[in-house]
Amino acid sequence: MLKIELAQLNFLTGDIQANAAKMIDAILQCEQSKADVLVFPELALTGYPPEDLLLRADFFQQVHDSLQEIKKTVTNCTVILGYPHKSNNALYNAAAVLHQGKQIHTYFKQCLPNYGVFDEKRYFTPGEKSLIFPVNDVNIAVMICEDLWQVKPMQQAYDAGADVVISLHASPFDYEKPQQRYEILRARQSEHALPILYVNMIGGQDELVFAGGSLALAANGEIIAQGQYFEEQTLTVQLDNNQQLIASKVAHAPIPSEEALIYNALVLATRDYLEKNHFSGAVLGLSGGIDSALTLAIAVDAIGAKNVQAVMMPSRYTADMSQDDAAAEAETLGVHYSVLAIEKPFTAFLETLSGEFAGLETDTTEENIQARCRGILLMAISNKTGKLVLTTGNKSEMSVGYATLYGDMAGGFAVLKDVPKTLVFRLAHYRNTISPVIPQRVIDRPPSAELGPEQIDEDSLPPYSILDAILERFVERDQSIIEIVAAGFEQETVEKIVAMVKRNEYKRRQAAPGPRVTPRAYGRDRRYPITSGF
């Protein structure tokens, strides 16, 4: 009988000593529980992704020193942990196998992802050999993340006589990933009928979110144990004398709905960004619209109402219902709420610029000045209080440039940056099933920036159901105008939207970071030139 614990934990990138301390605590508990094997995720010692920290000599000195401290705590159990390994001027994404105070084996990741959000070939050299070692007469194969996505490492493990595969992961979340992951694991398992233990980290790291969801897959493809999503947890399974997996505790956490997964990803990403960067709280502009209402709910769920400030900044165009709804949202969620009218600064700007604007028609310039007045106020509060400004724009708006540089784009973290408008509505409905915090008329009324008289978003944009469908095809699937039109969309509309996406790359390059929840987000996931003739 082999008892294995999968430690699904939240690590802080670069805080090697704190990460080591967290692992030491888990190791001491493992020794007490008399587990045979304890497994930590990919690059757990450094956090993932460490990026150019990997180029620093002092960074590797901390890696070395902390690994020595971890070794001292390992006695009876066997510990497998992810860390970066330097050898002969080569750098490897590695897994250390520790037992009785020594590093008895080292595995180097063979398949290095270099697509989407990954750029591991920038840093790491691929390994070439499998690692199989015995614990209690059970032959364990170790793999790291992308290795399990490919056929060759699994074939190597099978040929070398593996009884079980343990795979360390730092697998970023998107809403398609849980199903995709299961299909990949099931494909590898079905090729050789080997049980697979998958351990994934959790936590927010800048634009990435790690969801956990560690699991144990039996040789027949059955999920024996399923870990929680977005929660730290140690998942315990046993391998009996016939190499059959059995769950010993926390057997089957339910997989949440898609809306719940995405919402919880946004909450965790927001919490970790604020707390890991040591902000005292969050402040945001509450407009009475659905985007800011959803952002407020996420912020409160992330760090608590006492740490969140909402500011209503009405202009001459702000509807009474917007002010009423914003006040109701703030009261329901129990946040600090204030009203700072922008009429005086807006008028002052117009008077100051009157000579420059003489003879020119009113246009979006005046609308943008209003947004920038609000940005100035929020940033002043941020500077004075230490609270981070959360921007409230969504992916649909960011795609077509329906946002103001240094105005509503001003801030430190863009919670909804990768959330299309149609998904905003779904998430608002979902959050209200937990407790009603977003007034129904905020969800029902036509979206509006309220920067001009009787303004609604559809004055400038097609309905969001059409806009988001076009954006998904162009941004996430890389379809051409011809392909999108062939799918049934009006050519003039498609050409207009594509042109807007292209010419607003410069805005997105200056936007705050925000959590990735779709299969392709702006930022490290989708990198397009600003200056381009394509």
Side-chain angles (χ1 to χ4, degrees):
M1 185 76 75
L2 190 69
K3 183 179 179 182
I4 304 170
E5 293 185 347
L6 308 179
Q8 174 180 295
L9 301 177
N10 188 340
F11 297 99
L12 173 55
T13 296
D15 197 349
I16 297 167
Q17 294 174 343
N19 295 339
K22 178 173 281 194
M23 284 192 271
I24 288 170
D25 287 343
I27 290 167
L28 295 176
Q29 293 177 31
C30 177
E31 297 282 0
Q32 290 180 353
S33 69
K34 301 190 182 303
D36 299 296
V37 180
L38 173 64
V39 190
F40 295 102
E42 176 183 13
L43 290 180
L45 185 55
T46 61
Y48 189 95
E51 298 182 300
D52 280 9
L53 292 174
L54 292 166
L55 306 180
R56 299 186 60 91
D58 51 353
F59 181 77
F60 274 93
Q61 186 61 53
Q62 286 193 29
V63 169
H64 174 270
D65 294 346
S66 294
L67 194 56
Q68 302 313 308
E69 292 300 313
I70 293 170
K71 289 178 187 178
K72 295 176 185 178
T73 66
V74 180
T75 53
N76 296 318
C77 71
T78 298
V79 173
I80 307 172
L81 65 86
Y83 78 109
H85 179 93
K86 264 191 172 181
S87 178
N88 298 323
N89 294 321
L91 177 60
Y92 299 94
N93 185 337
V97 181
L98 312 178
H99 186 62
Q100 293 185 341
K102 297 179 181 179
Q103 186 165 338
I104 59 174
H105 301 290
T106 305
Y107 173 73
F108 298 147
K109 185 175 182 178
Q110 298 185 63
C111 303
L112 302 178
N114 217 60
Y115 55 84
V117 301
F118 304 105
D119 52 6
E120 291 198 15
K121 290 183 180 179
R122 173 180 170 89
Y123 306 103
F124 298 116
T125 299
E128 297 177 350
K129 299 178 180 178
S130 62
L131 172 61
I132 314 292
F133 65 95
V135 178
N136 295 0
D137 298 321
V138 175
N139 290 325
I140 296 174
V142 174
M143 296 183 191
I144 300 177
C145 207
E146 187 76 11
D147 292 337
L148 205 58
W149 258 238
Q150 309 301 325
V151 173
K152 181 180 176 182
M154 194 71 168
Q155 183 67 54
Q156 285 179 328
Y158 178 79
D159 292 343
D163 297 315
V164 61
V165 172
I166 295 179
S167 186
L168 288 62
H169 289 250
S171 181
F173 171 79
D174 67 63
Y175 64 75
E176 292 183 351
K177 186 63 70 69
Q179 181 61 33
Q180 180 189 49
R181 177 185 299 131
Y182 174 72
E183 291 172 358
I184 291 292
L185 294 178
R186 186 68 179 83
R188 293 293 85 79
Q189 176 277 327
S190 65
E191 291 161 3
H192 302 295
L194 287 176
I196 298 172
L197 303 182
Y198 165 98
V199 58
N200 190 26
M201 68 171 57
I202 74 157
Q205 174 57 36
D206 296 341
E207 296 169 299
L208 302 181
V209 194
F210 300 93
S214 303
L215 58 83
L217 196 68
N220 63 2
E222 180 185 358
I223 296 178
I224 298 300
Q226 171 68 64
Q228 298 279 356
Y229 281 84
F230 306 109
E231 293 183 21
E232 288 192 312
Q233 180 185 27
T234 297
L235 195 65
T236 304
V237 295
Q238 292 184 348
L239 200 68
D240 67 19
N241 295 331
N242 296 316
Q243 277 75 53
Q244 298 298 310
L245 283 175
I246 55 176
S248 55
K249 66 177 183 177
V250 197
H252 282 286
I255 297 179
S257 67
E258 185 171 279
E259 289 80 8
L261 281 170
I262 296 170
Y263 189 85
N264 290 331
L266 296 172
V267 168
L268 178 60
T270 302
R271 177 188 303 125
D272 275 6
Y273 194 85
L274 288 161
E275 293 184 351
K276 290 180 178 180
N277 287 295
H278 309 294
F279 287 100
S280 64
V283 59
L284 59 93
L286 193 61
S287 68
I290 192 170
D291 295 324
S292 63
L294 179 61
T295 303
L296 180 65
I298 291 168
V300 170
D301 290 343
I303 60 173
K306 67 179 181 180
N307 300 309
V308 179
Q309 180 176 354
V311 185
M312 173 42 134
M313 295 168 285
S315 75
R316 63 186 68 173
Y317 303 116
T318 303
D320 289 342
M321 76 167 65
S322 297
Q323 299 188 58
D324 294 342
D325 290 339
E329 293 157 16
E331 182 178 1
T332 299
L333 287 165
V335 301
H336 174 64
Y337 179 66
S338 54
V339 178
L340 302 176
I342 66 165
E343 183 61 30
K344 287 183 179 179
F346 179 43
T347 300
F349 274 116
L350 293 181
E351 290 175 352
T352 302
L353 291 165
S354 60
E356 298 293 328
F357 291 177
L360 300 176
E361 294 292 328
T362 299
D363 56 17
T364 56
T365 305
E366 286 76 11
E367 296 181 5
N368 291 335
I369 291 173
Q370 295 171 68
R372 289 177 179 132
C373 288
R374 294 180 173 123
I376 290 172
L377 295 177
L378 290 174
M379 289 307 302
I381 294 170
S382 175
N383 292 159
K384 189 65 71 174
T385 66
K387 296 184 176 75
L388 181 71
V389 176
L390 301 180
T391 67
T392 61
N394 59 63
K395 187 175 187 177
S396 307
E397 295 168 343
M398 290 303 302
S399 295
V400 297
Y402 200 66
T404 303
L405 272 175
Y406 326 121
D408 56 322
M409 289 177 63
F413 196 63
V415 178
L416 304 181
K417 183 178 181 180
D418 196 36
V419 181
K421 188 73 170 191
T422 48
L423 181 54
V424 168
F425 284 103
R426 288 168 54 197
L427 294 179
H429 281 292
Y430 165 75
R431 180 58 182 83
N432 276 355
T433 65
I434 300 172
S435 61
V437 297
I438 301 175
Q440 188 60 42
R441 71 175 178 182
V442 172
I443 298 173
D444 294 339
R445 66 187 290 203
S448 170
E450 293 192 321
L451 297 174
E454 305 298 325
Q455 182 187 57
I456 61 172
D457 290 1
E458 288 187 17
D459 293 337
S460 307
L461 301 171
Y464 280 110
S465 58
I466 295 174
L467 174 63
D468 285 354
I470 293 172
L471 291 173
E472 180 184 356
R473 291 175 178 274
F474 182 69
V475 174
E476 297 179 18
R477 302 189 203 174
D478 284 324
Q479 290 187 1
S480 67
I481 291 176
I482 294 174
E483 290 173 307
I484 299 172
V485 172
F489 296 90
E490 185 182 49
Q491 180 159 344
E492 182 179 354
T493 301
V494 175
E495 290 177 346
K496 175 185 175 182
I497 297 308
V498 168
M500 293 174 78
V501 172
K502 289 181 177 180
R503 71 171 174 262
N504 283 288
E505 188 63 41
Y506 80 100
K507 281 190 181 180
R508 291 188 292 273
R509 194 71 65 91
Q510 300 179 68
R516 172 185 183 263
V517 296
T518 71
R520 198 172 194 194
Y522 295 117
R524 65 180 296 138
D525 202 6
R526 183 185 185 272
R527 310 175 209 181
Y528 270 59
I530 295 173
T531 306
S532 172
F534 178 75

